[in-house]
Amino acid sequence: MNGVRRELISASLIVILCLFAWIREPRFFEPQSLNSILLYLPMVAIAAVGQLPVILTGGIDISVGSILGFTGIAVGLMFQSNSHLPIVAAFLFSGLAGGLLGAVNGALVSWGRLPAIVVTIGTLSAFRGLTFLLSRGNQVDSTMLPSSFTNLVQQGIHIGSVTLNEPLLLVFLFAFVASIGLGYTQFGRNVYSVGNNIKAAYLRGISTQWILFSVYAFSGFTAGVSGAIYASRFGFVNPESAGKSFELTVIAAVAIGGVKITGGYGSVLGALLGCLFLACLNVALSVLGINANWQLMVYGLLIILAVLLDSLLRMTKRKAAV
Amino acid sequence: MKKAWVAGILSLVSIFVFSRMSPEFLDWHFLVTNSTTYVEVGLLALGMTFVIVAGQIDLSVASLMALVACLAALLLKKGASIEEVVGFALVAGAFLGYVNGFLVAKLKLPSFLVTLGTLAVYRGMAQAILGPRSVEIPHQFVGIDQVGVAGIPDPVLLFAILAAVTGLLLHQTVFGRWVVATGSNESAARYSGVPTEKVKIAVFVLTGVLAGIGALLMISRLGVARFDLASGQELDAITIVVVGGASIMGGQGSMLGTVLSLCLIDIIKTGMGVANVKLPYQLTVIGILLILAVLAINGSELLARWKSSRTSQQSFKSQPSG
C-alpha cells in the first residue's frame, strides 16, 4: 500500500470528476471549458504553491486573501502613476509587496513565537485595513490599467482554440522552483523536518526560526503575484471584496491535494492537482448548469470527502504496516 | 486565570481613551443598548472557548448560525409558534454541532479541515434553500433587543446568564476538567479515564446550541434572515477567545477572559464608531490588537522561557567535567 502515491489518487479523482461531468454534459470537453479551467488556475495555483511550505512546517497562512487584495490595489496604483511600467516589473513589485507583508507574518510566527493561526487571523484584518488606507476606499478599474496588462490572460500559446495563457507560465515557474527547493535542497528537507518535529529539528541544529520566517515570506510573495494576476484577469480591484475568502480556496486546494494539514507531508504536484481539481469542479458545476446557489455546498462536501479519503488511506497504510 | 485580566485592563484603558476622545461615549444607556449587537458573536465565543480549550477549532460557527437563522425564519413564516421555533433552533444547532463533533471525534479528522468544510456546507445549504432572497420575520418575533429589565436589554441579560452557566460548567464541574485535560494532553487524558471522544463531541454540540440561540437573537434583532448573515464572524469569535487568554493549542483558557475580551472588542468598536473612526481603520486596529494582546499574554512566558534557556546554558557550562 505504501507504493500508492497520494498524487495518483488526486489525479484519478480529477479523471473521475471530468468523466462524470462529460457523461452528463458532453460540452464539458469543448475547448471553451478547458479555457475556463486554464483561466481559473493561475491565481489559485501560485498562492497554493506558496501555502504548501507553510503547511508543511505545520503552520497556516490565513492572510493570503488580504495580501492579494492589497497587492491588487498596489498594482493598480503603480500603473496609474506610470502607465509605461513594464509588466514584468509590475508582477515583481506586486510579489515583493506581498513578500513584505508575508515577512511580517513570518517575523511574528518565528521570533514572536505566536501561533500561526492567531497571527494570520490578525493580519487578515490588519492587511485588509491597510488595503483601504492605500486605496482611500476607491476601486481600481480598467481605465487605470494598460490594455497590455489586462489582455495578458488572452495571450499566450494557442493550440487550436485552447489558449495556454501567459500567467500559466508563471505557475510552471513557481512550481518548478518550489519542487526543486523542497525536494532537492537542504532547505527543503529542513522545511519537512520542522513540520515533522520542530523540537527535534531545532536540536539537530536546524535554524527553525529562519525556516519559519522564510516560508511565510514566500507565501506572501506568491499571494502578491496572485494579486497582480487578479488585477490583470478581472480588470478591476475592489479594496473590500478582492480576495475575500480566497484563503479558504487555497487551503482547500492544498488539502484536497493530499497535503497533511498538521505538517510534514505533501508535495508541489499534490497541491497543483488540488488546484486542478477545484478548477475542474468549478467549470463542471457551471457547465452542468447546477444552480449557482448550490455550488458552495458541493464545494464544502468535497473538502470533507477529500479529508475523509485521506484519513482512510492513512488508516489502511497503518494497518498494512502492522 | 491571570491572563484573563489582560483583556480587562485593556478594556479599562480603552474606556478612558474613548471618553477622552468623545464626551458622548460614557453614556451608559447608549453603551448598553449598543452592546446587543455583540451578543450573537459573544455567544459564538462562549462555545468557541470550550472548543479551543479542548484543543480543537470550529470555523463553521457563523455558517451554522446563519443556517439555523434561515431555517427558523422559514418556520416562522410558515406560522410555527415561538416555542416551536425556539425548540427547533436548539435542536438544529445541537445536530449541526454534532455533525462536526462526529467527524472530528469518531472519524478522527482534523477539526480545522472538517469545520472549513462545514463552513462551506452550512452556508451553502442556507444559500441553496433561500438563494439571494431575504425572508422577513413576522412582527411578533421581532425586537427582542427593544425589551429588557431595568434598562438592560433581554439579549444582554440572556448572554450574562449563559456566560455564568458556561463559566461554571468550564471551571467548576468534572466536565470542565475533562475539557481542559483533553486539550492539554489528549492521550494522557484518555489513559486516565477521560472519555475524550465524548468530550470532543460535547464541545461541538454545545457550540452548536449556543450558535442556535444566537441565530434566534439575530433574526429577532434584524427582522430579516439572509444566507449571508454573520459572514466571517467565526474569525471574530476566535479573536475574542484568544485575546481572552485562551491558548490556541488547547488546555488553557477561561470564560471570564472571553467575556472581558468581548467587552474590550465591544468598547473599542463602539468607541471608534462614536469617535467617527472609519471602518477600515477599525479593521486595522482590531487586527493589530489581536497580535499585541497575544504578545502581551505570552510575554511573561516568552521571558520565562528565555531566562530558563539562559540559566540552563549556564548551569550546563558550570557543570564540573569528569
Side-chain angles (χ1 to χ4, degrees):
Chain A
M1 201 60 194
N2 258 339
V4 178
R5 297 267 304 188
R6 179 61 178 77
E7 285 81 4
L8 266 179
I9 292 162
S10 300
S12 34
L13 283 180
I14 296 173
V15 173
I16 293 169
L17 173 73
C18 290
L19 280 179
F20 178 76
W22 178 60
I23 291 166
R24 296 292 301 276
E25 179 58 70
R27 272 193 306 133
F28 183 73
F29 271 143
E30 279 177 14
Q32 202 192 346
S33 35
L34 195 55
N35 277 333
S36 320
I37 291 173
L38 295 180
L39 203 58
Y40 177 95
L41 261 183
M43 212 171 76
V44 178
I46 290 177
V49 168
Q51 184 77 238
L52 171 72
V54 172
I55 293 186
L56 285 179
T57 62
I60 193 94
D61 187 353
I62 300 186
S63 69
V64 284
S66 296
I67 295 181
L68 181 146
F70 181 87
T71 54
I73 294 282
V75 165
L77 294 180
M78 276 191 274
F79 276 121
Q80 196 184 28
S81 63
N82 176 12
S83 56
H84 299 294
L85 187 75
I87 286 171
V88 177
F91 273 90
L92 196 63
F93 285 144
S94 181
L96 287 177
L100 212 60
L101 297 183
V104 173
N105 286 334
L108 286 166
V109 171
S110 61
W111 291 290
R113 295 187 182 215
L114 298 181
I117 184 168
V118 175
V119 167
T120 54
I121 286 178
T123 53
L124 169 92
S125 54
F127 293 162
R128 183 63 67 183
L130 280 184
T131 310
F132 273 97
L133 296 186
L134 185 69
S135 68
R136 297 201 182 87
N138 299 322
Q139 174 164 313
V140 165
D141 55 44
S142 51
T143 54
M144 293 161 72
L145 302 170
S147 55
S148 57
F149 181 66
T150 47
N151 284 343
L152 221 54
V153 286
Q154 274 116 46
Q155 287 163 1
I157 307 161
H158 298 274
I159 305 168
S161 40
V162 175
T163 310
L164 290 177
N165 57 57
E166 283 181 352
L168 271 180
L169 300 179
L170 277 177
V171 177
F172 289 121
L173 179 71
F174 274 95
F176 180 73
V177 170
S179 329
I180 299 290
L182 286 174
Y184 297 96
T185 65
Q186 188 60 48
F187 177 83
R189 278 187 283 277
N190 290 351
V191 167
Y192 282 94
S193 351
V194 166
N196 277 321
N197 188 338
I198 188 162
K199 271 183 196 149
Y202 178 76
L203 290 176
R204 260 195 287 147
I206 294 172
S207 169
T208 52
Q209 293 182 321
W210 270 109
I211 300 276
L212 287 177
F213 175 76
S214 27
V215 293
Y216 287 92
F218 179 65
S219 169
F221 185 84
T222 57
V225 173
S226 294
I229 295 176
Y230 182 98
S232 122
R233 179 180 162 198
F234 294 108
F236 72 92
V237 186
N238 182 299
E240 197 199 340
S241 64
K244 214 165 197 182
S245 62
F246 180 64
E247 63 279 359
L248 299 184
T249 315
V250 173
I251 294 168
V254 175
I256 289 172
V259 179
K260 202 170 151 207
I261 199 77
T262 47
Y265 181 86
S267 69
V268 175
L269 181 62
L272 288 182
L273 287 172
C275 297
L276 186 60
F277 182 86
L278 286 187
C280 292
L281 175 69
N282 261 24
V283 175
L285 288 176
S286 64
V287 170
L288 291 179
I290 291 177
N291 189 328
N293 290 330
W294 288 78
Q295 293 191 357
L296 190 61
M297 194 169 71
V298 175
Y299 208 81
L301 283 175
L302 279 164
I303 294 175
I304 295 176
L305 282 180
V307 181
L308 200 59
L309 177 77
D310 229 32
S311 108
L312 283 178
L313 285 173
R314 284 215 182 90
M315 259 187 247
T316 48
K317 231 181 237 180
R318 216 173 299 145
K319 269 183 199 149
V322 167
Chain B
M1 217 48 176
K2 269 185 216 154
K3 290 178 176 177
W5 292 105
V6 173
I9 294 164
L10 286 174
S11 303
L12 291 179
V13 172
S14 44
I15 289 179
F16 178 74
V17 171
F18 286 120
S19 59
R20 281 308 173 92
M21 281 170 80
S22 126
E24 285 87 24
F25 177 72
L26 278 184
D27 179 352
W28 171 249
H29 177 73
F30 166 73
L31 271 183
V32 171
T33 19
N34 200 61
S35 58
T36 51
T37 335
Y38 298 94
V39 165
E40 295 118 23
V41 72
L43 290 174
L44 299 185
L46 293 183
M48 190 71 82
T49 309
F50 283 94
V51 173
I52 287 181
V53 170
Q56 310 295 322
I57 192 109
D58 188 347
L59 298 174
S60 75
V61 280
S63 302
L64 194 160
M65 185 157 85
L67 176 58
V68 174
C70 290
L71 293 173
L74 284 178
L75 275 182
L76 278 169
K77 217 182 168 193
K78 290 248 164 73
S81 73
I82 290 180
E83 292 80 18
E84 283 166 0
V85 171
V86 171
F88 166 79
L90 295 179
V91 172
F95 172 73
L96 296 173
Y98 178 79
V99 172
N100 285 333
F102 178 81
L103 289 168
V104 170
K106 295 279 181 196
L107 301 185
K108 300 193 170 41
L109 304 179
S111 58
F112 184 88
L113 287 180
V114 165
T115 55
L116 182 69
T118 49
L119 169 134
V121 172
Y122 293 163
R123 195 167 297 279
M125 280 164 86
Q127 195 182 9
I129 293 166
L130 282 191
R133 74 200 160 95
S134 53
V135 179
E136 252 182 71
I137 311 296
H139 65 91
Q140 71 270 21
F141 197 77
V142 177
I144 192 171
D145 55 325
Q146 305 296 326
V147 289
V149 181
I152 301 174
D154 276 350
V156 179
L157 279 178
L158 183 63
F159 175 79
I161 295 168
L162 287 173
V165 171
T166 49
L168 287 176
L169 187 61
L170 181 59
H171 297 299
Q172 302 290 338
T173 65
V174 175
F175 173 73
R177 297 276 151 197
W178 284 351
V179 173
V180 176
T182 307
S184 21
N185 188 336
E186 199 185 328
S187 37
R190 197 168 46 242
Y191 286 127
S192 43
V194 175
T196 51
E197 266 187 19
K198 283 182 189 148
V199 168
K200 281 196 270 182
I201 293 179
V203 295
F204 282 103
V205 170
L206 189 62
T207 306
V209 172
L210 289 165
I213 299 172
L216 293 173
L217 296 179
M218 181 169 260
I219 55 175
S220 171
R221 181 169 64 83
L222 296 175
V224 288
R226 285 171 52 88
F227 82 89
D228 58 355
L229 282 180
S231 163
Q233 276 192 0
E234 64 280 353
L235 297 184
D236 295 342
I238 297 171
T239 303
I240 290 169
V241 175
V242 170
V243 172
S247 159
I248 200 89
M249 309 301 183
Q252 271 177 28
S254 77
M255 211 46 88
L256 178 68
T258 297
V259 173
L260 288 176
S261 158
L262 176 70
C263 291
L264 174 66
I265 301 232
D266 178 359
I267 291 165
I268 288 181
K269 282 199 170 172
T270 312
M272 286 194 292
V274 173
N276 213 3
V277 177
K278 286 191 183 126
L279 193 71
Y281 293 91
Q282 294 191 18
L283 273 180
T284 318
V285 171
I286 296 284
I288 293 173
L289 173 91
L290 167 65
I291 292 168
L292 285 184
V294 179
L295 271 176
I297 290 164
N298 294 339
S300 54
E301 252 171 49
L302 283 178
L303 210 64
R305 210 184 303 163
W306 183 67
K307 269 186 190 156
S308 76
S309 76
R310 272 175 59 111
T311 48
S312 68
Q313 272 170 8
Q314 277 164 1
S315 64
F316 186 68
K317 273 181 206 152
S318 63
Q319 261 173 14
S321 53

